[in-house]
Amino acid sequence: MSSVAVLTQESFNEHRSGLLPEQTAGAGPNAGEEEDALPTYKEAFPPLPEKAASPEGTQETANAWTSKIRPLKSSIITQVFHVPLEERKYKDINQFGEGDQAKVCVDIMHKTGAHLELSLAKDQGLSIMVSGKLDAVMKARKEIVSRLQTQASATVGIPKEHHRFVIGKNGEKLQELELKTATKIQIPRPDDPSNQIKISGTKEGLEKAKHEILLISAEQDKRAVERVNIDKVYHPFITGAYNKLVGEMTQETGARINVPPPSVNKTEIVITGEKEQVALAVAMIKKIYEDKANSYTVSSVSAPSWLHRFIIGKKGQNLAKITQQMPKVHIEFTEGEDKITLEGPTKDVQMVQSQIEAIVTDLVSRMDYAEISVDPKFHRHLIGKGGVNINRIKELHKVTVRIPPDNEKSNLIRIEGDPQGVQEAKKELLELASRMENERTKDLIIEQRFHRAIIGQKGEKIKEVRDKFPEVIINFPDPAQKSDIVQLRGPRNEVEKCSKFMQKIVAEMVENSFSVSVPIFKQFHRNIIGKGGSNIKKIREETNTKIDLPAENSNSEMIVITGKKANCEAARNRILAIQKELANITEIDVSIPSKLHNSLIGSKGRLVRSIMEECGGVHIHFPTEGSGIDKVTIRGPVEEVEKAKQQLLALAEEKQTKSHTAELHAKPEYHKFLIGKGGGNIRKVRDSTGARIIFPTPEDKDQELITVVGTEEAVREAQKELEELIKSLDNVVEDTMIVDPKHHRYFVARRGQVLRDLADEYGGVMVSFPRTGSQSEKVTLKGAKECVEAAKKRMQEIVEDLEAQVTIECVIPQKFHRSIMGPKGSRIQQITRDHNVQIKFPEREDPQEAPIQENGEANGEVKEPVDPNAPKKCDVIVISGRKERCEAAEEALKALVPVTIEVEVPFELHRYIIGQKGSGIRKMMDEFEVNIQVPAPEQQSDKISITGLANHLDRAKEGLLERVKELQAEQEDRALRSFKLTITVDPKYHPKIIGRKGAIITNIRTEHDVNIQFPEKTDENQDQITITGYEHKAIAARDAIQAIVNELEEMISENITLDSRVHARIIGARGKGIRKIMDEFKVDLRFPQSGAADPNLVTVIGRPELVDEAIDHLLNLEEEYMVDVVENEAKMAYMRPPGGSAAAMDEQRGPSKGFVVREAPWTTTNEKAPDMSSSEDFPSFGAPVATKTSPWGPKRF
């Protein structure tokens, strides 16, 4: 450990009195003259030692951690490594204890198993204390050197013939040297004449490597070699500051002296050179050693090993006090040993020893420890979540508790601290452990879908359960595990109660989680939601259910209702009723034996889905499997429902009599061709054979499987026809057709979208167009014969359309183009699809563009006059396609042009229609799908413009006029509410009308629904109270205030004399006494303020009879309290010290001379004595300095 100093009470007293210990012993009550007893300036203010004056101390301090490691009884050792500021890899002081440096330290601890503590020295160097087993400490040291220190390089020159001894046999010596010093050593090749060996690594490693290499060289040197064993602690005295002394000896003797660096644990100093030189150097070294040995001591203090950390203190604070006072003393603690080793100058060691012995004696007298054995599996429960349990025990009993980490597998828990606290903590921990041994673990099976609901948002619901059963630990599985097991652990009875409680919660959730899906046609979802969600909200609230609608961009039509079964059925019926009102929707029930239901539904619902798709999207609902109900519900448009009913009954009859199923396989790309456009091909097969053919859906795994269902004969015929079709599709042929090159672009445009559509529709047929620029008309088609023929026919139709294509212009002002396009171009895309045309909008006109010059010349050309009647380019929309389709598309576009109408709305209502930050007008625009333009305020216009589609304008106008009516009604109501009247009341009554904290006036305002305004301090009429509200309510409020005033006018005010010494007791703590009297007698009491002319005068205000009663009560209290006051004053008179006041005593004592010293610099020289009142000689420290981080490092990792 590092040496740290403690400032004891004795040394502090010595410092404060300005006396040295020798002087303190000599001075007594009968000492000589007063001046001789005064301390000298140097005694009172000892100078700091100069840096150069004591290089030995500096070296020793730097070496204190690593010097003289003694044999250990324990395998745990502690070493400290120092990294100077210039060698630190991470130099950001603001991030000390954080950032990359902290992460590196944590990683080193995990990797090596050693414990690291970092501290920051005053020179910003880094001290790292490493504790652990020897091999772990050495590994950690190697990691620290490589990861926390910057790398440097140096060279060392030895004779070329000595290089092979550095390398060793097969390079073993070199490898050992590199590992030992954590450096990289590069030796020049034999053919290289250089004798310089290059070393790379940390500064510390460089010194070690250099020493070892020179040592090897010295051993091989033919000259004399002398080895001197000198204890490590004396090496700094031999080397001197910055190796100055050893350098002087080398220069003086001519011998080479190798002293092992501080980081190398060797005591041997090697001297090489001529015999006379070596002998002289050895004599000089021994002389230094003998001189220092006589003034150097190694001592030990007995201290139980468990007390060591208390002696060291939190982050080394206690030890730091000692080492700061005695920096030359090295203090070493060894884990497991009941002693502390001290090394240093004899006098300093004796002082430190006495201080540490005093600390040990004090700790032994007031500290104790206990060890208990607890199964490691309970350790984490003793600690609690985030250490809550163990921290509570530590704080409650003022003890420290060491629970071994999981990797130690130890069951021994150690408690240290106050003897009583140790016993109480031991008892509590044993009780906790005993309770855990008797606890029970129970697994509850709860479906994972309920876990989130039980836990609640931010864990609120599970917190309530845990608060109800605080002794039970509830563990939910990780959502990724897909587990239904919830674990309860705790005392048996509490676990059972908690289990029943949670099962009850789950039962309620199960009851409330009944779910039913209602198929509703997509176009009616908006009507079910209602304006601003009003319809769906009403159904949810009235049926107490959760209703989820599919997303707008989803193809699903299912509305899911969740809740209790009865409530779900009620909500379902209400939603179906809305749909029934909106469309010609009918619902019929068909009776089909329940045993046939599964076969009618088909694998994954394929059969029933094919019927629903064929019959225009009707909904067919089968009862729950196993219910035994024969009723099947069909819902949809009347004609489609009837069609679906017939198909379902026919299929049921087939299934009941002679149903047969066959399966075929065909490539997925053939399916569209087999089905045909609009299902034409497959319908022909179905009509001719009577069999039902089912193709796979995108969700099915087997995308090639085609199922044929029907009678055996029908299935056989359908299967035969389909197999022939599939066989012909497998027969690949190649054909060509002629297409004019001008139409090629249409087919290959948009990355060949038209060709991809042809391939999808006609069994994957491949169409190849000639290269661009070849001017060839031949187009190649490759695929199944039928597919090629069909694709060829379709391409000819497209070419005919292109040949017959015309282009027309539709003139619509540019300002309407965005409205016509609709959100994300949805409206224009719909017109394009419906009419099979292409629509191109013009570029937008740039308003910043300069106007065209109509007269004059530009660039030497005469501009043609512009036709004023010609449409602007930016207004022309181009439509391409067949003539009749283009005309229909033009009509559709013009129908989308918004129309503007004006509505008369009084100007004063405009701001209410706009609403706060435009919310009102935005809401109307969204609701009616129109644009509403309100004129600017400066125009003072009553006209509001509504722009939108013609079919939306009427509804928007009605809505706007309805809003105007509402606002006019509100305006009339505001006029009625703005009735004002005033009442004259003397200002002295105002506080009484207002009441305590405004209670009375607030009650009047609330009761009569009026606003009551009292005059401001700056108002002229201080007696005028204004009441605003409905006329009849304002009059009622005025009458209520007048009644209070009449009552106050009947009151009287009387002054009585009460001794000021009892005022405080009558008032009571925080006015409690005076409030009680005022409430009891219904009066108002006013006591005099400090500095009043008559401090005994008290005023009582109230009704005459109540004032008299209150005065009597106050006089009785005064009489009672005065007895106590007189007694107390008599006692105080006897307790006063004789001789007058403290001020008089100070006068007798005379003025203080302050702190006086002898032999000050200003008495022996011409210097001026410092002026105590001068801010220049004694400047202010300014703002308080923030507490710095302890030099003993950051918080433990």
Side-chain angles (χ1 to χ4, degrees):
M1 298 292 297
S2 171
S3 52
V4 185
V6 162
L7 182 65
T8 62
Q9 186 62 42
E10 292 80 0
S11 60
F12 175 72
N13 291 336
E14 290 168 10
H15 177 72
R16 188 171 62 176
S17 64
L19 297 175
L20 290 173
E22 292 81 3
Q23 290 173 322
T24 308
N30 300 322
E33 293 181 1
E34 186 180 346
E35 189 177 341
D36 293 338
L38 293 173
T40 65
Y41 180 81
K42 284 191 177 179
E43 289 167 354
F45 305 101
L48 292 171
E50 293 181 11
K51 192 170 183 184
S54 57
E56 298 87 352
T58 309
Q59 286 290 329
E60 191 172 342
T61 305
N63 186 30
W65 292 98
T66 54
S67 64
K68 199 165 184 178
I69 297 176
R70 299 179 178 276
L72 304 178
K73 291 180 183 177
S74 170
S75 60
I76 304 296
I77 66 164
T78 300
Q79 287 193 14
V80 169
F81 308 106
H82 186 72
V83 182
L85 175 63
E86 62 272 10
E87 291 184 28
R88 282 179 57 189
K89 190 172 283 187
Y90 305 101
K91 296 185 182 180
D92 189 353
I93 297 164
N94 295 327
Q95 289 217 344
F96 182 70
E98 302 173 10
D100 294 337
Q101 183 171 274
K103 289 176 186 173
V104 167
C105 291
V106 172
D107 187 45
I108 292 171
M109 287 198 285
H110 286 323
K111 195 179 287 186
T112 63
H115 180 73
L116 272 65
E117 283 191 20
L118 277 70
S119 65
L120 206 60
K122 287 182 181 178
D123 63 356
Q124 304 305 324
L126 196 66
S127 290
I128 305 162
M129 186 166 70
V130 187
S131 304
K133 294 189 177 180
L134 181 61
D135 59 337
V137 170
M138 297 314 291
K139 284 179 187 174
R141 173 183 167 277
K142 186 179 177 183
E143 291 285 331
I144 289 164
V145 165
S146 63
R147 297 174 68 180
L148 292 182
Q149 279 187 261
T150 55
Q151 304 295 297
S153 63
T155 57
V156 58
I158 62 170
K160 189 78 175 175
E161 58 270 19
H162 294 173
H163 286 194
R164 62 193 183 91
F165 298 105
V166 176
I167 297 169
K169 189 179 179 181
N170 297 325
E172 290 176 1
K173 184 70 177 175
L174 183 63
Q175 289 175 8
E176 182 191 340
L177 196 57
E178 285 183 336
L179 186 66
K180 187 177 177 182
T181 61
T183 58
K184 178 71 178 172
I185 302 169
Q186 294 178 343
I187 297 175
R189 297 176 63 81
D191 53 357
D192 189 343
S194 173
N195 66 347
Q196 295 294 319
I197 296 174
K198 189 177 179 182
I199 311 165
S200 303
T202 62
K203 189 176 178 182
E204 183 184 43
L206 294 179
E207 290 177 0
K208 290 183 189 177
K210 194 173 178 181
H211 170 76
E212 292 291 339
I213 290 167
L214 290 172
L215 208 58
I216 293 167
S217 177
E219 286 176 0
Q220 303 304 321
D221 206 323
K222 301 301 179 186
R223 293 175 295 173
V225 177
E226 186 77 36
R227 288 179 174 80
V228 183
N229 276 312
I230 291 176
D231 286 345
K232 192 78 177 171
V233 292
Y234 299 108
H235 286 196
F237 304 112
I238 293 165
T239 58
Y242 305 107
N243 292 317
K244 184 180 177 183
L245 198 57
V246 77
E248 288 174 358
M249 284 193 287
T250 301
Q251 195 172 0
E252 186 179 337
T253 61
R256 184 186 293 171
I257 303 170
N258 283 326
V259 180
S263 54
V264 176
N265 190 26
K266 283 187 178 180
T267 59
E268 189 177 72
I269 298 174
V270 180
I271 306 105
T272 58
E274 298 296 333
K275 286 186 179 180
E276 294 82 5
Q277 295 173 343
V278 169
L280 182 59
V282 168
M284 292 175 76
I285 288 168
K286 284 185 175 178
K287 187 176 184 301
I288 294 169
Y289 166 67
E290 286 165 4
D291 290 345
K292 293 296 177 184
N294 294 331
S295 64
Y296 201 82
T297 305
V298 176
S299 181
S300 65
V301 178
S302 294
S305 60
W306 66 274
L307 283 178
H308 287 188
R309 64 193 188 86
F310 297 103
I311 295 167
I312 295 167
K314 190 176 181 183
K315 295 185 179 178
Q317 287 175 354
N318 296 348
L319 211 58
K321 293 174 184 175
I322 298 174
T323 54
Q324 283 167 9
Q325 191 179 3
M326 302 292 178
K328 294 182 181 180
V329 178
H330 168 56
I331 306 170
E332 186 174 318
F333 294 82
T334 307
E335 192 167 326
E337 281 194 4
D338 292 339
K339 69 173 184 176
I340 303 164
T341 306
L342 311 176
E343 296 176 358
T346 307
K347 188 178 177 182
D348 290 357
V349 166
Q350 287 172 356
M351 289 184 71
V352 172
Q353 185 172 350
S354 63
Q355 290 181 15
I356 292 178
E357 283 173 351
I359 294 170
V360 170
T361 306
D362 176 55
L363 288 172
V364 168
S365 66
R366 60 184 178 84
M367 298 286 283
D368 195 6
Y369 77 93
E371 290 181 343
I372 58 173
S373 182
V374 177
D375 194 318
K377 69 181 179 183
F378 298 130
H379 287 184
R380 66 191 185 93
H381 305 301
L382 289 178
I383 294 168
K385 190 174 182 181
V388 65
N389 294 346
I390 203 70
N391 287 339
R392 181 186 58 78
I393 292 170
K394 285 178 181 178
E395 289 172 13
L396 182 65
H397 304 299
K398 309 297 181 199
V399 295
T400 58
V401 182
R402 187 190 179 277
I403 297 176
D406 294 341
N407 57 0
E408 284 189 19
K409 303 293 182 186
S410 171
N411 60 355
L412 207 63
I413 295 175
R414 188 181 179 94
I415 311 160
E416 298 169 354
D418 176 69
Q420 186 181 350
V422 167
Q423 293 306 316
E424 288 173 356
K426 178 181 175 182
K427 184 181 176 184
E428 187 169 346
L429 283 170
L430 287 172
E431 283 176 3
L432 276 172
S434 173
R435 203 181 309 157
M436 286 171 193
E437 286 172 358
N438 297 327
E439 74 176 10
R440 183 189 171 191
T441 299
K442 184 172 183 179
D443 290 341
L444 282 182
I445 307 298
I446 299 173
E447 287 183 61
Q448 195 179 38
R449 65 192 175 106
F450 295 129
H451 290 187
R452 284 184 68 182
I454 294 170
I455 294 168
Q457 192 174 12
K458 295 182 181 177
E460 289 174 359
K461 290 188 178 177
I462 197 65
K463 187 177 183 295
E464 291 174 10
V465 178
R466 284 177 173 143
D467 291 345
K468 192 178 176 86
F469 303 99
E471 294 181 54
V472 180
I473 296 169
I474 305 168
N475 288 324
F476 284 85
D478 192 294
Q481 293 177 0
K482 304 291 183 187
S483 172
D484 295 338
I485 297 172
V486 177
Q487 193 180 73
L488 309 180
R489 188 175 66 253
R492 189 180 298 274
N493 294 339
E494 290 297 306
V495 166
E496 287 300 325
K497 288 178 187 175
C498 184
S499 172
K500 287 178 183 175
F501 183 77
M502 288 189 72
Q503 283 170 345
K504 186 180 175 184
I505 291 173
V506 172
E508 288 176 5
M509 285 183 174
V510 169
E511 186 183 355
N512 291 326
S513 65
F514 177 81
S515 181
V516 62
S517 296
V518 187
I520 299 293
F521 293 103
K522 195 79 176 178
Q523 62 266 34
F524 302 133
H525 283 197
R526 285 181 66 183
N527 306 88
I528 287 162
I529 294 168
K531 182 182 173 182
S534 57
N535 291 353
I536 199 77
K537 188 178 179 184
K538 188 178 180 183
I539 296 170
R540 281 172 179 154
E541 288 173 355
E542 291 181 2
T543 60
N544 193 24
T545 55
K546 180 186 175 189
I547 303 172
D548 295 315
L549 286 91
E552 284 185 24
N553 54 0
S554 167
N555 294 324
S556 172
E557 295 183 337
M558 289 294 180
I559 295 176
V560 181
I561 308 168
T562 310
K564 291 185 178 178
K565 189 174 180 180
N567 294 347
C568 288
E569 290 297 333
R572 176 177 174 272
N573 293 336
R574 289 183 64 167
I575 289 171
L576 289 172
I578 292 171
Q579 180 179 247
K580 204 167 185 178
E581 287 174 15
L582 293 167
N584 183 22
I585 302 296
T586 185
E587 184 178 300
I588 62 170
D589 294 331
V590 182
S591 183
I592 296 173
S594 58
K595 63 182 180 181
L596 297 177
H597 288 185
N598 279 346
S599 58
L600 289 174
I601 293 168
S603 175
K604 296 183 181 178
R606 290 167 70 189
L607 263 175
V608 76
R609 193 163 53 243
S610 70
I611 295 172
M612 288 194 290
E613 287 171 1
E614 191 177 332
C615 299
V618 297
H619 298 296
I620 302 174
H621 176 70
F622 284 84
T624 311
E625 188 178 354
S627 63
I629 300 170
D630 295 341
K631 187 173 74 173
V632 177
T633 306
I634 309 171
R635 186 171 61 256
V638 179
E639 294 174 4
E640 301 297 339
V641 165
E642 192 59 38
K643 187 178 174 185
K645 176 184 175 182
Q646 290 172 5
Q647 287 202 23
L648 200 59
L649 289 172
L651 191 60
E653 190 178 344
E654 286 177 13
K655 290 282 182 187
Q656 205 163 4
T657 53
K658 42 190 174 179
S659 177
H660 191 71
T661 304
E663 292 180 348
L664 298 168
H665 285 81
K667 292 178 182 177
E669 56 264 29
Y670 293 164
H671 291 189
K672 279 192 177 181
F673 182 76
L674 291 172
I675 294 166
K677 195 170 183 179
N681 295 349
I682 210 67
R683 199 177 294 114
K684 285 179 188 175
V685 177
R686 189 179 295 160
D687 293 343
S688 63
T689 62
R692 178 172 293 280
I693 300 152
I694 302 163
F695 286 85
T697 61
E699 291 79 25
D700 291 337
K701 286 184 180 178
D702 191 349
Q703 289 291 306
E704 294 189 355
L705 184 67
I706 301 171
T707 309
V708 186
V709 181
T711 61
E712 188 174 352
E713 187 180 346
V715 167
R716 196 184 306 117
E717 287 180 17
Q719 187 177 5
K720 187 179 177 182
E721 282 192 37
L722 286 171
E723 281 175 347
E724 287 176 0
L725 274 171
I726 293 166
K727 192 175 180 181
S728 66
L729 289 173
D730 287 333
N731 181 21
V732 177
V733 297
E734 190 173 305
D735 198 359
T736 59
M737 64 179 292
I738 302 301
V739 177
D740 195 315
K742 67 181 179 183
H743 301 311
H744 289 190
R745 183 176 176 80
Y746 173 81
F747 288 96
V748 299
R750 291 176 297 153
R751 298 183 182 178
Q753 183 61 47
V754 176
L755 297 180
R756 283 202 299 274
D757 293 343
L758 285 169
D760 288 344
E761 193 172 345
Y762 299 105
V765 66
M766 292 173 61
V767 183
S768 301
F769 279 79
R771 289 180 181 275
T772 309
S774 65
Q775 297 300 317
S776 174
E777 297 180 341
K778 192 165 77 170
V779 177
T780 306
L781 294 88
K782 190 176 181 181
K785 189 176 180 182
E786 285 78 3
C787 293
V788 168
E789 289 299 326
K792 190 175 177 181
K793 186 178 177 183
R794 175 65 187 135
M795 286 179 70
Q796 285 169 346
E797 289 174 3
I798 292 170
V799 170
E800 286 174 14
D801 281 348
L802 293 171
E803 292 286 352
Q805 193 175 63
V806 296
T807 299
I808 65 170
E809 293 182 348
C810 176
V811 180
I812 296 174
Q814 189 185 38
K815 63 182 179 180
F816 300 129
H817 289 187
R818 183 172 290 179
S819 172
I820 291 169
M821 288 180 184
K824 297 181 181 178
S826 57
R827 291 176 180 168
I828 213 69
Q829 287 168 11
Q830 187 64 41
I831 293 172
T832 304
R833 281 196 298 270
D834 291 348
H835 302 285
N836 193 19
V837 294
Q838 291 183 350
I839 301 172
K840 185 179 180 183
F841 280 79
E843 294 291 330
R844 293 184 66 81
E845 187 178 41
D846 187 1
Q848 302 298 325
E849 194 175 313
I852 297 169
Q853 295 181 3
E854 294 185 3
N855 299 312
E857 295 181 2
N859 300 326
E861 293 181 8
V862 180
K863 291 285 180 182
E864 291 290 330
V866 178
D867 184 0
N869 297 321
K872 292 182 180 179
K873 282 186 180 181
C874 61
D875 295 340
V876 178
I877 300 171
V878 178
I879 308 170
S880 303
R882 283 186 176 269
K883 188 177 179 182
E884 61 276 10
R885 290 175 183 168
C886 289
E887 289 170 353
E890 184 180 13
E891 291 297 322
L893 282 174
K894 286 182 176 176
L896 292 175
V897 174
V899 181
T900 301
I901 61 170
E902 290 184 342
V903 182
E904 286 272 354
V905 176
F907 173 73
E908 61 270 14
L909 297 180
H910 286 192
R911 62 194 183 97
Y912 300 110
I913 287 169
I914 293 168
Q916 191 175 17
K917 294 182 180 178
S919 59
I921 202 163
R922 266 200 308 275
K923 185 181 176 185
M924 291 176 71
M925 285 161 67
D926 292 341
E927 185 180 342
F928 302 118
E929 297 181 32
V930 294
N931 182 41
I932 301 173
Q933 190 70 36
V934 179
E938 56 269 15
Q939 293 180 12
Q940 299 282 315
S941 172
D942 291 341
K943 304 281 186 184
I944 289 182
S945 302
I946 306 175
T947 306
L949 301 181
N951 55 342
H952 293 164
L953 289 179
D954 292 338
R955 208 158 52 90
K957 184 178 178 180
E958 287 174 15
L960 183 59
L961 292 173
E962 188 65 36
R963 178 65 180 146
V964 169
K965 286 179 185 176
E966 289 175 13
L967 291 170
Q968 285 173 339
E970 288 175 13
Q971 209 171 30
E972 289 172 10
D973 184 62
R974 271 198 301 276
L976 292 172
R977 286 179 66 92
S978 60
F979 176 79
K980 272 188 185 181
L981 62 82
T982 56
I983 179 172
T984 304
V985 177
D986 193 321
K988 69 180 179 181
Y989 296 136
H990 289 189
K992 287 292 180 185
I993 295 168
I994 293 168
R996 190 168 175 222
K997 293 184 179 178
I1000 296 170
I1001 201 67
T1002 301
N1003 189 36
I1004 295 171
R1005 283 172 178 151
T1006 308
E1007 186 180 342
H1008 300 287
D1009 190 22
V1010 293
N1011 180 33
I1012 302 171
Q1013 195 70 36
F1014 284 83
E1016 297 286 340
K1017 288 182 180 179
T1018 55
D1019 290 350
E1020 292 181 9
N1021 300 322
Q1022 288 291 308
D1023 57 354
Q1024 297 290 321
I1025 298 173
T1026 307
I1027 306 169
T1028 309
Y1030 292 115
E1031 186 177 356
H1032 64 285
K1033 290 186 177 181
I1035 292 167
R1038 181 194 64 188
D1039 294 343
I1041 292 171
Q1042 191 61 51
I1044 295 170
V1045 171
N1046 294 340
E1047 191 177 328
L1048 290 170
E1049 286 176 345
E1050 292 177 8
M1051 291 183 179
I1052 62 167
S1053 174
E1054 282 198 25
N1055 294 331
I1056 61 169
T1057 302
L1058 289 179
D1059 196 305
S1060 61
R1061 290 174 290 177
V1062 300
H1063 287 189
R1065 290 194 64 180
I1066 292 170
I1067 293 168
R1070 296 183 181 178
K1072 191 175 178 182
I1074 195 172
R1075 276 200 302 275
K1076 186 178 177 184
I1077 296 168
M1078 288 162 70
D1079 292 343
E1080 185 179 344
F1081 295 100
K1082 303 290 187 293
V1083 295
D1084 186 22
L1085 299 179
R1086 292 182 185 171
F1087 284 81
Q1089 294 182 348
S1090 58
D1094 187 355
N1096 301 325
L1097 193 69
V1098 177
T1099 305
V1100 186
I1101 303 166
R1103 298 175 72 84
E1105 62 276 11
L1106 297 175
V1107 167
D1108 292 339
E1109 289 178 15
I1111 290 171
D1112 291 342
H1113 181 72
L1114 287 169
L1115 292 172
N1116 290 338
L1117 285 176
E1118 180 195 28
E1119 188 178 344
E1120 182 184 335
Y1121 293 156
M1122 279 303 295
V1123 174
D1124 294 339
V1125 169
V1126 171
E1127 285 181 5
N1128 288 335
E1129 286 180 351
K1131 283 181 186 176
M1132 293 301 292
Y1134 285 109
M1135 292 174 71
R1136 280 178 192 155
S1141 65
M1145 292 173 70
D1146 288 342
E1147 286 175 11
Q1148 290 175 8
R1149 203 179 290 136
S1152 172
K1153 291 182 180 179
F1155 185 68
V1156 183
V1157 296
R1158 293 182 291 118
E1159 299 177 15
W1162 52 85
T1163 60
T1164 57
T1165 64
N1166 294 327
E1167 289 183 32
K1168 183 185 173 185
D1171 182 7
M1172 298 285 285
S1173 62
S1174 167
S1175 61
E1176 198 171 321
D1177 288 348
F1178 294 92
S1180 169
F1181 281 108
V1185 180
T1187 308
K1188 289 188 178 179
T1189 308
S1190 169
W1192 281 85
K1195 59 188 178 184
R1196 289 176 183 269
F1197 296 107

